[in-house]
């Protein structure tokens, strides 16, 4: 089995693509076609390590199609028993990922918004529960959904560039992180720092992120990738049975909890985003971006 958590009776990350509405899939066949592969690049620096490079210019924002593509590639990579570690990185050295594609949340249809959120849930479950040892190679900014991707990995290496930021800044856009992302953040940095970071929408510089445990290592920008490969190869040398069992014990509770609340979480997200007050906040944010 390539998944970390044994399947439950309710659909989990291995079947989340089937939750996308038939209407959307029939009208958008590119979601399941080879064309989505252009959104990421996969390379293999060593026989046991794969690199999944985010490649959706300009800022690797997570649209429905982008999230679906990343999930699909994680599944493909972990199906190869020779691959033990996965590095998640970006084709843009200045941006790891800017987070969720805000246009997905601006005056969307309810069905599209629901499918979008299911694709985000699926991506989180696939990355967080994979049997692969995962290393986030963060050379650029990593706000919101970018921070989600980073925290979902087993190890995080970030450039020491003091101008970079990582964190969950959703409140500054007038929205809130879902409960499972809140739980992940609190588990990562501790309760008090988690509450402050989430409430204030804080973006931490690399040094701050290292001090609170949001990243595990900071290095000079030009060697971030090389260090990430070294860490991935270190993980790959550890016997798989033991490391997967440990990962299951550490991560299984959060995975199973979300698996049991998929539709409840979709309902909360769609209702929150479609509220008129939320929509006005999103429109204001998009206008501010257009002026830059």
């Amino acid at each position: 089995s390539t998944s970390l958590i044994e399947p439950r009776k309710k659909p989990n990350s291995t079947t989340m693509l089937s939750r996308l509405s038939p209407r959307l899939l029939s009208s958008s066949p590119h979601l399941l076609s080879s064309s989505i592969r252009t959104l990421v690049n996969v390379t293999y620096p060593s026989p046991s390590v794969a690199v999944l490079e985010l490649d959706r210019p300009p800022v690797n924002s997570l649209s429905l199609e982008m999230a679906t593509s990343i999930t699909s590639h994680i599944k493909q990579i972990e199906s190869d028993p020779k691959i033990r570690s996965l590095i998640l990185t970006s084709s843009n050295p200045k941006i790891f990922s800017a987070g969720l594609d805000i246009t997905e949340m601006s005056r969307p249809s309810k069905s599209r918004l629901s499918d979008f959120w299911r694709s985000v849930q699926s991506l989180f479950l696939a990355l967080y529960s994979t049997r692969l040892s995962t290393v986030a190679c963060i050379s650029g900014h990593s706000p919101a959904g970018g921070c989600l991707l980073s925290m979902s990995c087993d190890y995080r290496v970030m450039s020491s560039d003091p101008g970079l930021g990582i964190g969950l800044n959703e409140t500054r856009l007038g929205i809130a992180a879902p409960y499972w992302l809140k739980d992940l953040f609190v588990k990562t940095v501790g309760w008090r720092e988690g509450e402050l970071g989430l409430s204030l929408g804080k973006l931490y510089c690399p040094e701050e992120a290292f001090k609170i445990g949001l990243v595990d290592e900071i290095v000079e920008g030009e060697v971030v990738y090389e260090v990430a490969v070294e860490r991935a190869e270190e993980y790959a040398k550890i016997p798989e049975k033991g490391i997967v069992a440990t990962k299951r014990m550490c991560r299984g509770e959060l995975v199973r909890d979300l698996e049991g609340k998929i539709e409840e979480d979709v309902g909360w997200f769609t209702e929150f985003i479609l509220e008129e007050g939320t929509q006005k906040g999103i429109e204001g944010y998009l206008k501010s971006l257009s002026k830059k």
Side-chain angles (χ1 to χ4, degrees):
S1 174
T2 58
S3 62
L4 173 63
I5 306 301
E6 291 302 318
R8 301 178 64 181
K9 292 182 179 180
K10 293 185 178 181
N12 59 22
S13 60
T14 63
T15 58
M16 284 291 290
L17 289 179
S18 66
R19 289 181 174 274
L20 299 179
S21 72
R23 176 205 55 77
L24 179 65
L25 293 179
S26 62
S27 63
S28 306
H30 58 288
L31 283 178
L32 298 180
S33 72
S34 60
S35 64
I36 65 173
R37 298 178 187 278
T38 60
L39 299 174
V40 303
N41 306 307
V42 178
T43 55
Y44 299 87
S46 73
S48 60
V49 176
V51 175
L52 197 161
E53 181 184 69
L54 308 179
D55 190 16
R56 185 184 182 228
V59 293
N60 292 326
S61 58
L62 298 175
S63 63
L64 189 158
E65 291 81 8
M66 181 64 163
T68 302
S69 181
I70 298 170
T71 302
S72 174
H73 282 81
I74 292 171
K75 296 297 181 183
Q76 291 175 28
I77 292 167
E78 71 178 0
S79 68
D80 183 346
K82 297 188 299 295
I83 303 301
R84 295 286 315 285
S85 296
L86 172 66
I87 297 170
L88 188 64
T89 188
S90 169
S91 63
N92 184 342
K94 296 182 179 181
I95 299 285
F96 180 68
S97 170
L100 302 185
D101 188 337
I102 196 72
T103 62
E104 291 277 12
M105 296 178 278
S106 179
R107 302 296 176 184
S109 68
K110 186 174 182 179
S111 59
R112 171 77 188 197
L113 186 62
S114 297
D115 285 329
F116 166 64
W117 195 240
R118 290 188 186 98
S119 76
V120 174
Q121 294 171 326
S122 180
L123 170 55
F124 166 66
L125 289 170
L127 182 58
Y128 191 65
S129 69
T130 179
R131 68 161 180 86
L132 301 168
S133 295
T134 50
V135 177
C137 176
I138 312 164
S139 62
H141 293 287
S142 188
C147 184
L148 163 62
L149 293 176
S150 301
M151 288 193 296
S152 299
C153 292
D154 297 302
Y155 196 85
R156 296 172 286 280
V157 183
M158 187 174 189
S159 166
S160 59
D161 181 349
L164 299 181
I166 183 172
L168 298 177
N169 62 333
E170 282 83 352
T171 55
R172 294 183 179 271
L173 280 65
I175 59 178
Y179 85 89
W180 48 270
L181 182 52
K182 176 269 295 181
D183 287 350
L184 177 59
F185 190 65
V186 169
K187 286 175 181 290
T188 302
V189 304
W191 179 262
R192 184 55 183 154
E193 186 60 48
E195 185 177 23
L196 287 172
L198 287 164
S199 298
L200 299 175
K202 293 176 66 174
L203 291 179
Y204 302 85
C205 72
E207 187 68 35
E208 292 171 330
F210 175 70
K211 287 181 179 179
I212 65 173
L214 189 53
V215 300
D216 301 298
E217 191 170 358
I218 51 176
V219 298
E220 293 296 322
E222 60 268 20
V223 298
V224 174
Y225 177 76
E226 288 76 8
V227 172
V229 172
E230 290 178 6
R231 300 298 173 263
E233 290 179 338
E234 289 174 9
Y235 270 96
K237 293 176 182 177
I238 300 174
E240 185 172 24
K241 188 172 183 179
I243 199 168
V244 169
T246 299
K247 195 170 180 179
R248 179 181 294 121
M249 287 187 287
C250 292
R251 300 190 169 201
E253 182 179 0
L254 180 54
V255 170
R256 289 188 293 270
D257 185 65
L258 177 56
E259 286 177 350
K261 298 177 180 176
I262 289 292
E263 293 308 315
E264 180 182 340
D265 185 56
V266 170
W268 169 83
F269 177 78
T270 54
E271 181 179 352
F272 183 85
I273 295 299
L274 292 174
E275 288 179 356
E276 187 59 28
T278 306
Q279 283 299 306
K280 287 182 178 179
I282 291 173
E283 288 174 353
Y285 178 73
L286 289 172
K287 287 180 181 178
S288 71
L289 291 179
S290 66
K291 295 177 182 178
K292 292 182 179 180

